[in-house]
Amino acid sequence: MSYTKPVIREPYYDCPKWFDNDMHRSEFLTLSGKCTSSEVELFLIHLFGYSNTNIDQSMEDTFNELFTNESVAILGGVAFYESEEKFIMPSCCCGLEQFREIYNSIVNRESPWLGHDPSPGITYKDNMAIVWSDDPDSNDRSDIFHIDFKFEEILSRLEKSKYDLKDFIDKPLFEWIYRRDQDTAEKMKDRMYEWFL
């Protein structure tokens, strides 16, 4: 059964000196309530880097600078899976902050912006949502593939992804910050809801 997950991509920015350990980098990170402390740190590295937040200052000052942003961008979004081996990631310039827009586009049976180079897209036929790995109008290319969802199924999977994102914010992210500074943890939770949910 096909499913979706909230993800960030290419978290390769510099690490703040106030992090406890060296980072293990990965091409993408799936966000959920099951994320480890090092995965939370990977998310924060990406968020600070993408928003050009100065990490050469104290933890409190770094977060306070981040909080001044009315909105943030972070490379990622919704990943569409047929299996752990067959999936379609959001592409360049697609962001996790676009989660609501992606969801609303699909509810309205429109193709959401999922990035470019490649340019994934969604077409609809009868009761099916077909997610394409690249521009669906270029389907004469042999490297393009698709993942099929029943329309009700893609909506329920996106609701689950929204829950996973909320769970990430409420549990591992909140707890990681709370262990270091309770006030910052509360502020970060509020801002994450504003930025991403």
Side-chain angles (χ1 to χ4, degrees), residues 8-42:
I8 59 166
R9 290 193 47 230
E10 301 174 12
Y12 299 136
Y13 291 94
D14 291 335
C15 182
K17 294 180 177 37
W18 39 267
F19 275 16
D20 296 334
N21 51 1
D22 291 331
M23 294 306 312
H24 168 72
R25 308 291 178 140
S26 59
E27 187 178 333
F28 66 91
L29 172 65
T30 301
L31 304 176
S32 75
K34 297 177 182 172
C35 283
T36 64
S37 288
S38 61
E39 289 171 328
V40 167
E41 291 176 357
L42 201 56

Side-chain angles (χ1 to χ4, degrees), residues 66-81:
L66 181 69
F67 296 153
T68 64
N69 293 308
E70 194 171 304
S71 61
V72 295
I74 185 169
L75 181 61
V78 177
F80 299 87
Y81 287 79

Side-chain angles (χ1 to χ4, degrees), residues 4 48 61 87-88 109 126 140 165 170 182-183 187:
T4 65
F48 294 143
D61 289 341
F87 52 84
I88 298 168
R109 297 177 73 95
D126 300 324
D140 54 330
L165 181 55
D170 291 348
Q182 296 176 10
D183 186 50
K187 287 180 188 170

Side-chain angles (χ1 to χ4, degrees), residues 80 88 94 98-116 118-125 128-137 151 154 158:
F80 299 87
I88 298 168
C94 187
Q98 296 166 301
F99 188 93
R100 282 177 292 232
E101 289 88 351
I102 292 168
Y103 179 85
N104 290 336
S105 292
I106 293 171
V107 165
N108 294 316
R109 297 177 73 95
E110 299 167 350
S111 186
W113 167 254
L114 297 173
H116 64 91
S119 301
I122 303 178
T123 58
Y124 303 90
K125 184 175 181 182
M128 299 299 292
I130 304 153
V131 184
W132 296 87
S133 62
D134 203 349
D135 182 0
D137 294 329
F151 188 69
I154 199 169
L158 286 167

